[in-house]
């Protein structure tokens, strides 16, 4: 062990509060996957390009391979593990990816859905172009993006229907 | 890809942050959004022993206008620049440029201060700040000093910033209402640094240019303020001959590297094309 001081980090991950001591150089993605066993966020490139490691931190989509865990101290974090509806059924986005074949190998999917989740919160009615620009930080090597865009459009439609809005209240 | 070890500091005021920098000299580095520094640390191209996280300093956030100048505090993120109504109204070129930087995730965290202090010629904000004649407020142990963006950049990663100083704000003279503006960036894909890019600001009266400034990104080891090009265009009607001369003057000051983005000659030419497109779009947007 090094003599660098370990720092206490408290996070709320998918509604659950956790506290750990970490080495300052620990990246958030390693903290989530290795310390907390939250393995939904993937390590694709490790160079801030692919977005497979995307999580929501205080309402922002961030690439958790490019954030130190200590920087996230006190943050509210949502990962793919926190995406399903409270009763365990699939969220509109998850259902969209299923219905529209928005995934093939699935490696990019946790990052894609987590990013799309934040995108739809900020812009509930995005145009196709806004969706494409909105997921520009997430790479998919399989689908060609077409069905990912359709999946997000499916979710936006579902979420904008008055019945689902009432049901969510 | 795990960075080297460092001691983490999270000061809550600028004074405290400067004091930490003073006590550790060039072994300490400020950390803002981390989206240039952390990738460098992962590659072990940077290995600071002390990181001074500016994220806990509330004073370093915000955009305001006062006495003919707009002040953007250093920790304002690129995402916040895009969302700002004040900037959309008074300085729309900042939004246009921000939207061409990296991708949404990076823009949520990457800051204006980090982008301009970094000194990477690939960064887009430095040339824009030169075009806008911005100045940087640098805060050190002896207080504040201001350095013009046009004088700040010395070579790749070498700037006028001293190791014990923090760039705390960027001040931009509010441009006149009705000005024309454009940032044109050629890149291979979304999220890429520029092959070449150009920022243009101009004002026109009765079809004649009354003021014009031009700056270029990533075609030398610093951003380039193309003073002569601006002078040539000033007073013209943007006729083909004058534009040709101005573009040649701007191309003449470039000195790009040949790399994955293309050979040097190509990048110089692309800088000229970006400038021409930016000029045309700026003129369209200016109220004559
Ligand atoms: C995949 C990818 C693509 C990108 N594409 C682009 C692009 O197209 N265009 C572009 O412009 N940028 C691009 N960037 C860089 C991004 O915009 C960075 O966020 C930005 O360059 C640096 O800002 P930061 O706040 O993240 O700074 P940091 O990474 O925290 O810091 C950068 C440097 O500046 C110093 N520093 C930071 N803040 C201060 C301060 N206030 N005072 C003194 N020194 C300070 C740090 O010590 C460090 O040396 C890209 C980044 C990635 C990962
Ligand atoms: S693993 Fe983080 S962006 Fe690829
Ligand atoms: S489904 Fe395979 S990378 Fe996207």
């Amino acid at each position: 062990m090094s003599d660098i001081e370990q720092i206490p980090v408290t996070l709320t991950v998918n509604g659950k509060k956790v506290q750990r001591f970490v080495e300052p150089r620990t990246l958030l993605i390693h903290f989530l996957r290795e310390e907390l066993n939250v393995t939904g966020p993937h390590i694709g490139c490790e160079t801030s390009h692919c977005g497979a490691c995307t999580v929501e931190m205080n309402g922002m989509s961030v690439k958790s391979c490019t954030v130190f865990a200590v920087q996230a101290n006190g943050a509210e974090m949502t990962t793919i593990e926190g995406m399903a509806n409270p009763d365990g059924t699939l969220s509109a986005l998850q259902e969209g990816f299923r219905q529209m074949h928005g995934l093939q190998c699935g490696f990019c999917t946790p990052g894609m859905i987590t990013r799309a989740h934040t995108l739809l919160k900020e812009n509930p009615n995005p145009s196709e172009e806004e969706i494409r620009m909105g997921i520009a930080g997430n790479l998919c090597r399989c689908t060609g993006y077409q069905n990912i865009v359709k999946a997000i459009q499916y979710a936006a439609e579902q979420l904008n229907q008055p019945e689902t809005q009432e049901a969510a209240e | 890809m795990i960075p080297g070890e460092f001691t983490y500091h999270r000061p809550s005021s600028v004074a405290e942050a400067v004091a930490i920098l003073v006590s550790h000299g060039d072994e300490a580095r400020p950390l803002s959004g981390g989206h240039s520094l952390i990738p460098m640390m992962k590659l072990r191209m940077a290995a600071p022993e002390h990181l001074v996280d500016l994220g806990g300093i509330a004073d370093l956030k915000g955009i305001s206008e006062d006495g003919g100048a707009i002040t953007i505090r250093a920790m304002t993120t690129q995402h916040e620049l895009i969302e700002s109504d004040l900037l959309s109204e008074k300085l729309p070129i900042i939004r246009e440029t921000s939207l061409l930087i990296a991708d949404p995730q990076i823009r949520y965290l990457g800051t204006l201060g980090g982008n301009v202090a970094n000194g990477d010629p690939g960064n887009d904000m430095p040339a824009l700040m030169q075009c806008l004649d911005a100045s940087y407020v640098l805060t050190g142990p002896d207080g504040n000093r201001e350095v013009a963006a046009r004088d700040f950049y010395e070579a790749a990663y070498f700037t006028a910033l001293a190791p014990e100083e923090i760039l705390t704000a960027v001040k931009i003279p509010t441009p006149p209402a009705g000005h024309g503006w454009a940032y044109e960036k050629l890149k291979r894909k979304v999220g890429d640094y520029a092959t070449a890019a150009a920022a243009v600001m101009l004002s026109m009266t009765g079809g004649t240019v009354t003021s014009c400034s031009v700056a270029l990104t990533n075609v030398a080891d610093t951003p380039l303020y193309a003073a002569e090009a601006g002078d040539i265009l000033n007073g013209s009607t943007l006729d083909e001959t004058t534009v040709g001369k101005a573009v040649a003057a701007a191309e003449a000051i470039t000195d790009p590297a040949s790399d994955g983005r293309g050979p040097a000659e190509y990048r110089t030419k692309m800088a000229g094309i970006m400038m021409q497109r930016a000029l045309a779009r700026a003129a369209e947007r200016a109220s004559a």
Side-chain angles (χ1 to χ4, degrees), chain A residues 102-109 112 139-145 148:
Chain A
L103 61 145
Q104 289 175 23
C105 81
F107 195 84
C108 69
T109 315
M112 279 292 179
L139 301 181
C140 176
R141 295 286 85 149
C142 302
T143 62
Y145 301 100
I148 293 179

Side-chain angles (χ1 to χ4, degrees), chain A residues 38-142:
Chain A
V38 175
T39 56
H42 288 161
I43 301 176
C45 65
E46 264 197 290
T47 58
S48 329
H49 287 93
C50 73
C53 63
T54 299
V55 301
E56 188 181 80
M57 179 171 97
N58 295 332
M60 308 178 290
S61 300
V62 304
K63 294 180 172 175
S64 60
C65 73
T66 316
V67 176
F68 289 118
V70 287
Q71 288 177 282
N73 191 19
E76 288 273 346
M77 201 84 63
T78 308
T79 69
I80 189 68
E81 283 88 347
M83 270 315 132
N85 296 323
D87 65 1
T89 56
L90 296 184
S91 71
L93 260 170
Q94 290 173 312
E95 191 57 37
F97 273 70
R98 191 168 114 130
Q99 295 298 335
M100 297 294 144
H101 306 283
L103 61 145
Q104 289 175 23
C105 81
F107 195 84
C108 69
T109 315
M112 279 292 179
I113 292 185
T114 311
R115 168 62 195 137
H117 170 77
T118 310
L119 173 68
L120 290 183
K121 274 204 277 187
E122 283 187 358
N123 182 357
N125 228 329
S127 65
E128 179 180 340
E129 196 191 338
E130 285 167 343
I131 292 175
R132 288 185 184 273
M133 293 313 283
I135 59 167
N138 295 74
L139 301 181
C140 176
R141 295 286 85 149
C142 302

Side-chain angles (χ1 to χ4, degrees), chain B residues 193-261:
Chain B
Y193 290 96
T195 300
V200 167
M201 292 282 289
L202 52 73
S203 292
M204 301 185 79
T205 312
T208 301
V209 176
T210 53
S211 76
C212 179
S213 78
V214 179
L216 308 173
T217 295
N218 217 13
V219 281
D221 66 355
T222 64
L224 296 174
Y225 172 56
E228 197 190 334
D231 288 345
I232 293 172
L233 293 164
N234 206 354
S236 79
T237 55
L238 296 178
D239 56 286
E240 210 176 307
T241 320
T242 313
V243 170
K245 268 193 223 156
V247 166
E251 287 178 358
I253 61 170
T254 65
D255 184 17
S258 292
D259 62 15
R261 296 188 174 80

Side-chain angles (χ1 to χ4, degrees), chain B residues 7-177:
Chain B
T7 300
Y8 178 73
H9 305 265
R10 195 171 164 96
S12 52
S13 70
V14 172
E16 207 186 312
V18 169
I20 300 167
L21 292 179
V22 168
S23 58
H24 298 290
D26 48 12
E27 280 162 12
R29 290 274 277 275
L31 173 70
S32 291
H35 275 62
S36 289
L37 186 52
I38 296 175
M40 299 271 278
M41 289 175 68
K42 290 208 267 183
L43 296 168
R44 305 280 177 128
M45 284 159 71
E49 287 174 25
H50 294 269
L51 266 195
V52 185
D53 185 351
L54 305 181
I57 307 178
D59 271 5
L60 289 180
K61 281 271 188 197
I63 306 172
S64 57
E65 189 184 18
D66 184 27
I70 290 175
T71 299
I72 306 175
R73 310 287 294 163
M75 288 296 286
T76 306
T77 63
Q78 291 153 6
H79 181 80
E80 288 162 348
L81 297 176
I82 292 169
E83 299 287 302
S84 160
D85 292 335
L86 177 66
L87 294 181
S88 289
E89 187 197 334
K90 301 271 172 89
L91 265 172
I93 194 171
I94 294 193
R95 183 171 195 276
E96 176 160 288
T97 307
S98 302
L99 282 167
L100 294 170
I101 291 179
D103 61 46
Q105 282 94 319
I106 292 165
R107 296 194 294 259
Y108 278 112
L109 291 181
T111 66
L112 177 63
N115 199 294
V116 299
N118 192 28
D120 182 337
N123 282 133
D124 289 287
M125 288 298 178
L128 175 59
M129 294 304 136
Q130 294 190 332
C131 180
L132 295 170
D133 199 13
S135 53
Y136 302 155
V137 181
L138 310 181
T139 307
D142 305 323
N144 286 347
R145 64 186 180 113
E146 280 187 31
V147 177
R150 293 175 187 174
D151 299 328
F152 184 75
Y153 299 94
E154 294 163 3
Y157 298 105
F158 285 91
T159 67
L161 185 78
E164 67 279 4
E165 282 178 325
I166 289 173
L167 191 154
T168 45
V170 174
K171 283 190 185 171
I172 305 167
T174 310

